[in-house]
Amino acid sequence: MSDTAAPFSVQRDDLGPFEHSYGSSGVSAVRVFAYLASALSFGLAVFFLQIDQQIAAESEIQGLPKLAALLIFSLSFVCLLGGMLHKPKRNRVLLFENGVAVEGRYKPLTASWEEFEHYHPCTGSEAFRFSLSNGTEISIAKETKGFIDLCNAIRMRAGEFIYRREYALIQRGERSTFGPLEFTLNSCRIDGVKLDWADLNGIQTNTAKGSETLTFETKALGDLSPSVAASKIPSAHVCYRLIEQLAQIRVLTTL
């Protein structure tokens, strides 16, 4: 692999050709807050100077607004200096045909799709996290430009390898685990509740108040059919695909 097109060097040859770089958005919340505080402090200091000029010379509070203005000017300077000196964390991610590299403090953190254990759900301002088979966890900041497209690309590419690995595990007679869910060739276990695939009537995802729940419907349990929050399921789209393959029932989505 040639590093000539990549913005930082990656010393691995198994990631395949370099495809795209996803850079930091360049926006630092700390820096923005510091500059905003500096501007507001400066404006407040000017306001106190104007008040000082309007106070009569014989007034008991003469000079106090000027003193307050000097203190606020000092605060404004400190905030401005803090904003200038603050160095936002660099967050560059390289997408390769066979893997990904995240710029680290000392060296890039790299992973091929085959090394993925699971990727984890992320909501709101959370980073996108994925764990590797060696126990390493790598995260990608939400502020990364093209964050959604990048995460979707990782899910799609790594997901194919995760699916094939987990399905092969089940075919060998072993268990496949997705957080609180465990699958075998003939049954599943949801938070300790065991169900045979043949006993399922349907599987549905329901969204309420922004939270998604996966429910395994059975005649025997009725309204007590077990369910699990989607936020607890790693590699969720792989998990759903595996369920459909094993149960021969499509996972339906309802609002």
Side-chain angles (χ1 to χ4, degrees):
M1 183 200 71
S2 172
D3 291 327
T4 54
F8 60 86
S9 178
V10 177
Q11 302 303 319
R12 286 187 63 165
D13 297 323
D14 61 333
L15 298 184
F18 167 69
E19 294 186 354
H20 192 70
S21 173
Y22 295 83
S24 174
S25 65
V27 177
S28 167
V30 173
R31 180 170 285 178
V32 170
F33 178 80
Y35 287 158
L36 182 60
S38 177
L40 292 175
S41 300
F42 184 85
L44 186 61
V46 171
F47 174 73
F48 274 105
L49 284 179
Q50 293 176 342
I51 291 179
D52 185 73
Q53 294 175 358
Q54 298 174 7
I55 296 176
E58 63 276 8
S59 174
E60 294 180 356
I61 63 171
Q62 174 64 33
L64 290 180
K66 183 181 292 185
L67 178 60
L70 290 174
L71 292 174
I72 297 174
F73 270 129
S74 299
L75 176 62
S76 176
F77 175 76
V78 170
C79 291
L80 178 62
L81 184 62
M84 294 173 64
L85 294 178
H86 173 70
K87 295 181 179 180
K89 181 180 178 182
R90 299 188 72 176
N91 185 65
R92 293 188 296 182
V93 183
L94 306 183
L95 182 66
F96 296 86
E97 181 179 320
N98 300 322
V100 66
V102 180
E103 188 174 26
R105 186 172 182 179
Y106 301 108
K107 65 177 182 178
L109 304 174
T110 61
S112 64
W113 307 132
E114 294 93 335
E115 294 172 331
F116 271 62
E117 183 70 22
H118 282 300
Y119 61 81
H120 304 284
C122 66
T123 58
S125 60
E126 293 179 351
F128 177 67
R129 298 179 298 110
F130 51 91
S131 53
L132 307 183
S133 54
N134 63 5
T136 302
E137 183 171 285
I138 300 177
S139 64
I140 298 174
K142 190 83 170 183
E143 293 76 20
T144 305
K145 285 184 178 179
F147 178 78
I148 295 177
D149 290 339
L150 172 60
C151 294
N152 285 339
I154 293 175
R155 290 188 185 102
M156 179 181 68
R157 299 187 188 190
E160 188 61 34
F161 286 91
I162 296 172
Y163 172 80
R164 290 200 299 231
R165 181 195 70 215
E166 297 301 314
Y167 187 67
L169 196 69
I170 292 172
Q171 291 297 312
R172 294 198 302 267
E174 301 179 47
R175 292 181 180 273
S176 172
T177 302
F178 288 78
L181 303 176
E182 287 186 357
F183 306 136
T184 65
L185 196 58
N186 299 313
S187 66
C188 62
R189 189 178 296 272
I190 306 102
D191 275 332
V193 178
K194 183 180 178 182
L195 296 173
D196 290 336
W197 294 120
D199 293 336
L200 293 177
N201 294 328
I203 306 168
Q204 294 199 23
T205 62
N206 303 278
T207 302
K209 297 181 180 180
S211 298
E212 185 177 87
T213 302
L214 180 66
T215 302
F216 295 77
E217 299 178 344
T218 67
K219 287 183 179 179
L221 297 177
D223 293 338
L224 298 177
S225 294
S227 61
V228 61
S231 60
K232 295 182 180 180
I233 304 174
S235 306
H237 92 274
V238 179
C239 178
Y240 294 173
R241 181 182 170 188
L242 194 59
I243 290 172
E244 291 180 343
Q245 178 67 27
L246 296 170
Q248 294 298 302
I249 298 176
R250 185 172 177 79
V251 177
L252 299 177
T253 300
T254 57
L255 299 178

